[in-house]
Amino acid sequence: MSSILAEAVTQLAYDPGVSPAEGGLPGLSVLKQVVSSINLFAVIATVGALCVAGIVWAWGHHTGSHGAEAKGKQGALVAAGVALLLGAANGLVSFFSTLGTQVK
């Protein structure tokens, strides 16, 4: 029984030696450009969403429509959060990737 358990633990502790390596597949530079373009598109869309949310917020405030004002505030906060995530995407992925390499 203990030898089966020891073998299972040994297999769980096996390091396959896989790590990210640049240049392993063709098209990596194209993929980076595509992802960068998607990120730029998302940033531009977020700016537009923030403008629309600001307009709805102001319209709701000036017309006395509390529901529209609340939705405008909500939209502005969501757009700000999306902008934060888009700007921090590289740093977040890098941080958690580095953190993941430290798991033993």
Side-chain angles (χ1 to χ4, degrees):
M1 177 73 173
S2 64
S3 66
I4 294 172
L5 182 61
E7 183 179 335
V9 170
T10 302
Q11 287 185 358
L12 285 175
Y14 177 73
D15 180 16
V18 178
S19 62
E22 196 166 328
L25 291 174
L28 185 61
S29 62
V30 173
L31 182 61
K32 285 181 182 179
Q33 287 177 347
V34 168
V35 171
S36 295
S37 297
I38 291 170
N39 194 350
L40 176 62
F41 180 79
V43 168
I44 292 169
T46 302
V47 170
L50 185 60
C51 291
V52 169
I55 291 169
V56 170
W57 186 354
W59 176 75
H61 177 74
H62 289 292
T63 61
S65 175
H66 300 294
E69 184 179 3
K71 289 296 180 183
K73 287 178 186 178
Q74 182 182 9
L77 286 174
V78 168
V82 168
L84 178 69
L85 287 174
L86 289 172
N90 285 332
L92 287 171
V93 170
S94 177
F95 172 76
F96 285 110
S97 178
T98 303
L99 190 64
T101 60
Q102 297 174 2
V103 174
K104 299 291 178 189

